[in-house]
Amino acid sequence: MSLTLTIVRHGDTFMGSEPARRIGARTDLPLVASGEAQARALGRVFARDTFDRVLVSPLRRTQRTAALMLEGIAHPAIETAAWLAEIDHGPDENRSEEAVLARIGAAALARWNDALVAPPGWSVDAEARIAAWRTLFAQAQGHVLLVTSAGAARFALAADGRLAEQARALPSRKLRTGAWGRIVVADGQGRIAAWDRRPDTGDGN
């Protein structure tokens, strides 16, 4: 039996007029109005899907995204999965992107974006995260919905050699807020079926 993973990043936690900040595991922000609208839009995209399992990180922004997305959709009990929690940005937590870049430098940020090498001071535990994704690939069946954060989601692409190769062709491994990706695993082989799609771009599922 094949496995389909639909991976969703939570909706907006900042108003459009606010400067973005580097928010991780230690800053548990709620969704703003646009984030709630994104979650409901995701629900419309997946209204006809059937999920065999739903995994959500412990953070409020992901829990709320899942709840709004699944309103009116029959689904199994939502499971909280600690390994889907956002990474810890250490001294860069809750700081502006400009301040983060000034501290770690462009090269360190590029290594994180391209190769998942954490900048100094960040707590990521990449090995454990990759192991958790691999366990899911090996043991889960059917259609699994995962609602998480950008830092956690990108490790799915590093958990399988074929996925990692495909990921190099992506414009970015990052999921934008309110965006989703899909991985299909069949006969032990992973395939990126979609990545970083948003309902408001016209991308369907």
Side-chain angles (χ1 to χ4, degrees):
M1 184 175 180
S2 65
L3 169 66
T4 298
L5 303 177
T6 295
I7 305 169
V8 170
R9 183 182 175 188
H10 62 77
D12 291 337
T13 53
F14 297 106
M15 302 292 290
S17 58
E18 294 181 86
R21 302 192 306 276
R22 182 68 61 161
I23 299 299
R26 288 184 288 142
T27 308
D28 197 3
L29 295 180
L31 298 182
V32 296
S34 61
E36 298 209 348
Q38 287 173 322
R40 292 189 174 95
L42 285 162
R44 292 190 291 273
V45 170
F46 297 106
R48 296 183 180 179
D49 283 55
T50 299
F51 297 112
D52 299 293
R53 194 175 178 190
V54 179
L55 300 176
V56 181
S57 100
L59 296 172
R60 281 191 296 168
R61 53 190 180 266
T62 51
Q63 296 275 338
R64 180 63 171 164
T65 298
L68 292 173
M69 176 182 168
L70 293 170
E71 280 184 350
I73 299 176
H75 61 86
I78 295 174
E79 304 172 49
T80 298
W83 60 272
L84 288 175
E86 181 60 291
I87 65 170
D88 187 334
H89 295 107
D92 298 314
E93 183 76 15
N94 209 15
R95 301 182 72 196
S96 70
E97 288 298 298
E98 293 79 5
V100 173
L101 191 60
R103 189 188 78 86
I104 67 175
L109 190 57
R111 284 193 295 272
W112 165 246
N113 289 330
D114 298 337
L116 294 176
V117 176
W122 292 17
S123 179
V124 173
D125 201 357
E127 290 185 4
R129 290 177 183 273
I130 290 172
W133 281 106
R134 286 176 175 166
T135 297
L136 186 70
F137 291 167
Q139 298 180 359
Q141 294 183 337
H143 192 174
V144 181
L145 171 66
L146 304 101
V147 185
T148 184
S149 304
R154 67 181 68 199
F155 282 95
L157 303 178
D160 173 89
R162 186 173 178 185
L163 291 176
E165 182 178 349
Q166 294 170 50
R168 285 193 282 270
L170 295 173
S172 173
R173 292 169 174 80
K174 182 178 180 179
L175 290 174
R176 293 168 293 166
T177 52
W180 60 276
R182 179 163 287 173
I183 292 171
V184 177
V185 181
D187 299 322
Q189 299 292 319
R191 176 176 62 87
I192 301 172
W195 199 255
D196 195 36
R197 294 191 180 183
R198 268 178 168 167
D200 59 5
T201 65
D203 294 318
N205 91 356

